[in-house]
C-alpha cells in the first residue's frame, strides 16, 4: 500500500483569527489532488472556527502542541480532550522551537505521544539536528536517539499512527533547505530504524515529512524522494498561493 501524501502547514504564532479564516477559505477554493491530506496546524485560538468552515474533506486541522496531562492545575496549557472535543485530528509534538524555548525533552515528548495516542490524535512528531550536530557528522545518531527516547515502549500498532517530521534546525526559517539527497538519506535511516524496531509493515506505512524552508521552488524535488512523503511547511504555508503550489508538488 502506498503511503499517505501529506502537506502540513505550521503557522506558528502567526495570524489573527479573521486572517486565518481567510487563508483557509481561500485554500478551500483551490483545486487539489484529493489524495493529499492537507493539515493546517494553526494557533489553538483558531482551531474551532477553522474546523467549522465548509471545506473539502482532505483539509484537516492540527494543534501545534498540547500538554501530556489531560486536565488540571496547569495554567495556560491545553489538554488532548479539549482538542478532541472540537474535532481536531492532528497535533504537532516536539517541534524544535518547543524543544529549544520551552525545554521539551525526549522524555516529556514520550508522555505527550502516549496522551495523544490515547485520545486518538495523530501526532506529527518532529525530530532534527542543529548545525553543530550536522557539522560533527552526528545527525543520524542524534535523530534516531530522539525517536528512541520518545517512542519508549510504544507498540508497533501505535507507532503506525504517528507521522514523523524530519526538520533539520539549520533549515527552519533560514531559507536554507536540506538537499533532496540529504533529506532522502535521513528519511531512509529513520525508516530503517522503524523497520528494525517495529517491522516492515510499520516502517512502510508511517509517513515521514520533511520540514525546513520548503517552498514551491524546491518542494517537487524533495517530495520526489523515495522516503519523503510530504512536508511540514512553516513560512510558505501562510500564503495561499505558495502553499497551494506546494500541495500540488507531489
Ligand atoms: P519553515 O518552517 O518552513 O518556515 O522553515 C518549518 C517548520 O518550522 O515547521
Amino acid at each position: 500500500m502506498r503511503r499517505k501524501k501529506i502537506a502540513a502547514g505550521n503557522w506558528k504564532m502567526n495570524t489573527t483569527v479573521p486572517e486565518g479564516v481567510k487563508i483557509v477559505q481561500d485554500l478551500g477554493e483551490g483545486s487539489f489532488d484529493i489524495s493529499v491530506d492537507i493539515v493546517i496546524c494553526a494557533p489553538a485560538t483558531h482551531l474551532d472556527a477553522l474546523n467549522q468552515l465548509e471545506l473539502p474533506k482532505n483539509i484537516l486541522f492540527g494543534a501545534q502542541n498540547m500538554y501530556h496531562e489531560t486536565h488540571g492545575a496547569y495554567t495556560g496549557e491545553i489538554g488532548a480532550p479539549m482538542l478532541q472535543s472540537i474535532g481536531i485530528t492532528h497535533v504537532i509534538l516536539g517541534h524544535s522551537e518547543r524543544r529549544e524555548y520551552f525545554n521539551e525533552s525526549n522524555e516529556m515528548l514520550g508522555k505527550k505521544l502516549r496522551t495523544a495516542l490515547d485520545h486518538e490524535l495523530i501526532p506529527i512528531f518532529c525530530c532534527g539536528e542543529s548545525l553543530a550536530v550536522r557539522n560533527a557528522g552526528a545527525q543520524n545518531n542524534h535523530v534516531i536517539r530522539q525517536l528512541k527516547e520518545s517512542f519508549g515502549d510504544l507498540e508497533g500498532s501505535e507507532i503506525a499512527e504517528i507521522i514523523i517530521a524530519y526538520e533539520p534546525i539549520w533549515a527552519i526559517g533560514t531559507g536554507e533547505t536540506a538537499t533532496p539527497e540529504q533529506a532522502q538519506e535521513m528519511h531512509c535511516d529513520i525508516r530503517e530504524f522503524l523497520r528494525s524496531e517495529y517491522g516492515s509493515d510499520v516502517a512502510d506505512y508511517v509517513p515521514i515529512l520533511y520540514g525546513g524552508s520548503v517552498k514551491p521552488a524546491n518542494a517537487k524535488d524533495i517530495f520526489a524522494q523515495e522516503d519523503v512523503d510530504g512536508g511540514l511547511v512553516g513560512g510558505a504555508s501562510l500564503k495561499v498561493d505558495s502553499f497551494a503550489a506546494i500541495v500540488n508538488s507531489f
Side-chain angles (χ1 to χ4, degrees), residues 10 12 95 97 167 171-174 211-214 232-236:
N10 174 12
K12 310 193 181 188
H95 190 279
E97 288 150 17
E167 299 204 307
I172 295 177
T174 57
S213 299
V214 175
L232 178 56
V233 185

Side-chain angles (χ1 to χ4, degrees), residues 114-132:
R114 168 84 276 147
T115 306
L117 293 167
D118 284 347
H119 291 82
E120 283 155 24
L121 290 165
I122 300 168
I124 302 177
F125 187 81
C126 300
C127 55
E129 81 286 356
S130 65
L131 188 57

Side-chain angles (χ1 to χ4, degrees), residues 38-245:
I38 300 171
V39 186
I40 306 289
C41 299
T45 42
H46 299 34
L47 291 173
D48 194 29
L50 297 180
N51 204 29
Q52 289 187 40
L53 298 171
E54 197 73 41
L55 295 166
K57 291 250 178 307
N58 59 326
I59 300 187
L60 304 164
F61 295 98
Q64 298 172 11
N65 176 41
M66 50 155 243
Y67 199 48
H68 60 269
E69 297 289 348
T70 53
H71 63 277
Y74 304 104
T75 302
E77 291 295 333
I78 291 169
M82 301 171 190
L83 296 172
Q84 215 182 8
S85 72
I86 55 166
I88 295 308
T89 49
H90 292 66
V91 59
I92 297 177
L93 294 177
H95 190 279
S96 61
E97 288 150 17
R98 302 274 337 156
R99 292 174 185 264
E100 182 180 351
Y101 304 133
F102 303 96
N103 297 318
E104 294 196 357
S105 64
N106 293 337
E107 189 205 352
M108 178 194 282
L109 292 167
K111 292 183 191 169
K112 291 190 179 201
L113 275 173
R114 168 84 276 147
T115 306
L117 293 167
D118 284 347
H119 291 82
E120 283 155 24
L121 290 165
I122 300 168
I124 302 177
F125 187 81
C126 300
C127 55
E129 81 286 356
S130 65
L131 188 57
V133 170
R134 179 157 285 262
N135 286 341
Q139 65 274 11
N140 296 55
N141 285 344
H142 177 88
V143 165
I144 300 303
R145 182 161 10 93
Q146 287 179 320
L147 299 179
K148 264 193 186 150
E149 291 186 6
S150 293
F151 287 0
D153 54 11
L154 293 177
E155 309 269 334
S157 59
E158 296 176 306
I159 300 296
E161 301 299 316
I162 297 174
I163 297 167
I164 295 174
Y166 167 59
E167 299 204 307
I169 298 168
W170 46 271
I172 295 177
T174 57
E176 193 171 332
T177 325
T179 63
E181 294 73 25
Q182 284 172 322
Q184 168 57 23
E185 195 214 353
M186 182 65 81
H187 284 224
C188 178
D189 254 43
I190 293 171
R191 206 173 298 290
E192 288 318 307
F193 159 72
L194 295 176
R195 198 177 309 284
S196 71
E197 298 283 319
Y198 307 102
S200 283
D201 285 356
V202 173
D204 292 333
Y205 183 77
V206 171
I208 308 177
L209 313 183
Y210 169 81
S213 299
V214 175
K215 17 183 201 272
N218 58 29
K220 210 177 169 62
D221 285 346
I222 294 172
F223 294 175
Q225 302 301 308
E226 172 75 20
D227 288 296
V228 178
D229 304 304
L232 178 56
V233 185
S237 71
L238 290 162
K239 292 191 204 83
V240 175
D241 289 354
S242 59
F243 193 52

